[in-house]
Amino acid sequence: MPGQRKRKAQQRRESEAWRAARQNGRWERRFATQDQAEFKAYVHELLRDGTLTPEDVRLDMLCGRLTHPTTHVVSVWVGDDQA
């Protein structure tokens, strides 16, 4: 496919830059719920503040089965200098 090599190289550069910027710190869990609407509302409110960028927020969906319901989790990157 045309441009595939360039796209992969760009993704690799972005990934390496992200890793370099995130060497010192950790992901801190801020919110967990089983309600998807509540989850979306929290994420929109968190990003609307402007204090965080989308790169600083990690969204996880812990898929449930018969005994455990699906849980939505929001984590925020906290640098060691901010702790």
Side-chain angles (χ1 to χ4, degrees), residues 1-9 11:
M1 291 184 64
Q4 184 174 3
R5 185 175 296 158
K6 288 181 183 178
R7 280 192 303 275
K8 285 186 177 184
Q11 288 173 347

Side-chain angles (χ1 to χ4, degrees), residues 29-54:
R29 183 182 273 199
R30 290 281 176 95
F31 183 73
T33 185
Q34 295 173 359
D35 182 22
Q36 188 174 9
E38 188 179 8
F39 171 72
K40 286 182 178 182
Y42 183 82
V43 171
H44 288 295
E45 183 66 30
L46 193 65
L47 294 176
R48 191 173 348 141
D49 287 350
T51 57
L52 296 172
T53 63

Side-chain angles (χ1 to χ4, degrees), residues 1-81:
M1 291 184 64
Q4 184 174 3
R5 185 175 296 158
K6 288 181 183 178
R7 280 192 303 275
K8 285 186 177 184
Q10 178 66 26
Q11 288 173 347
R12 189 172 30 256
R13 283 192 301 272
E14 289 172 358
S15 177
E16 290 169 359
W18 187 87
R19 252 180 289 182
R22 301 283 195 247
Q23 285 183 347
N24 299 321
R26 67 190 183 289
W27 288 104
E28 183 178 283
R29 183 182 273 199
R30 290 281 176 95
F31 183 73
T33 185
Q34 295 173 359
D35 182 22
Q36 188 174 9
E38 188 179 8
F39 171 72
K40 286 182 178 182
Y42 183 82
V43 171
H44 288 295
E45 183 66 30
L46 193 65
L47 294 176
R48 191 173 348 141
D49 287 350
T51 57
L52 296 172
T53 63
E55 293 82 23
D56 294 331
V57 179
R58 186 177 76 190
L59 310 175
D60 297 316
M61 185 172 76
L62 309 175
C63 296
R65 295 289 185 250
L66 297 174
T67 58
H68 302 292
T70 299
T71 303
H72 303 279
V73 179
V74 178
S75 300
V76 176
W77 179 260
V78 178
D80 285 343
D81 57 340

